[in-house]
Amino acid sequence: MTAVRLLGAADIRRLAAELDVTPTKKLGQNFVVDANTVRKIVQAAKVQDGERVVEIGPGLGSLTLAILERGARVTAVEIDSRLASRLAQTAAEQGVADGQLTVVEHDAMTVAELPGDPAVLVANLPYNVSVPVLLHFMQTFPTLSRGVVMVQAEVGERLAAAPGSKIYGSPSAKAAWYGSWRLAGTVSRRVFWPVPNVDSVLVGFERADEPLGTVEERTATFRLIDLAFQQRRKMLRQALSRDLGGSAASASEILAAADVDPTSRGEQLTVHDFLRIARVLAR
Ligand code: SAM
């Protein structure tokens, strides 16, 4: 552990005033002002000394410093140039060793390369893009083997939902492509500045040892997932008919060949079921 001083509410406000930053909804800027909360996130992620961690949206550095305190090396991807350009100085002022932090000023939705092949993702995600940014990182950085992210409670519950539950949906099935997801704690809205309208949860993931299929199979599977959940109340033979031969009858045949009940609905299918349908289609 390095002797790093974490930020409190007064530090956050001082830094924001210095940078003339008024948090914006558009960028999902709700900064954590509580040292216990950022330590809880880092503990849930089991960040170890020397590990390579990537953080999405470091903001003013609350969570970044807690990751650095564990002795990890951090790459932080921030879209807001005012925040990105202040972060290295904040780290140095708070006792972080030279070379422990790399700041990348970029949109995390489109970043294609990261220095040092990070193994762990830790983030308080911008809420408006939390699912797409997470899927982009899982897809683009296969070295990421585990992580913990903070998201809106409703989104976190969806990510971790199992088939058959009401909240199981497209994000749940797509996330499951990459590995297993679990709820890892709740976070009160009161630890943020400004205070958001909703509570948050921590979601942990472990990437599966082997990819479920090829990139082409993933694209085809995700398309079927989207179609099935766009019309989630319809039976699959109807919801997927356009892509599966053009009629409910041809869709039923393909679904049966994939060992999926044509009268079931998307919310009952695992990602493996969707993949089997994609494989039958590709024959
Ligand atoms: N990590 C900080 C904390 O916990 O206090 C800030 C978290 S705040 C919820 C989300 C952060 O993500 C903000 O700093 C915001 O500027 C940044 N952000 C928003 N959209 C982004 C994007 N597309 N790419 C990278 N950063 C983004």
Side-chain angles (χ1 to χ4, degrees), residues 12 24 26-33 38 41 55-64 77-80 83 104 106-110 123-129 133 150 192-193:
I12 295 292
T24 71
K26 188 168 158 243
L27 290 178
Q29 291 176 334
N30 296 93
F31 302 113
V32 176
V33 297
V38 288
I41 298 171
E55 182 189 5
I56 299 166
L60 292 164
S62 309
L63 179 56
T64 323
V77 185
E78 173 59 59
I79 197 171
D80 186 327
L83 302 174
V104 175
H106 207 287
D107 182 347
M109 293 280 286
T110 56
N124 170 14
L125 291 174
Y127 287 0
N128 37 351
V129 292
V133 88
M150 177 148 65
F192 296 96
W193 173 70

Side-chain angles (χ1 to χ4, degrees), residues 135 161-164 168-181 208 211-213 217-226 229 258 260 266-279:
L135 295 175
Y168 181 74
S170 156
S172 337
K174 289 180 180 173
W177 175 275
Y178 298 103
S180 57
W181 299 74
L212 278 192
E217 286 174 333
R218 184 186 63 217
T219 305
T221 303
F222 281 18
R223 177 174 164 75
L224 292 172
I225 291 171
D226 284 335
F229 286 104
V260 171
E267 65 203 37
Q268 293 162 269
L269 265 56
T270 66
V271 68
H272 298 89
D273 296 326
F274 283 111
L275 172 58
R276 280 203 315 282
I277 305 170
R279 282 183 171 153

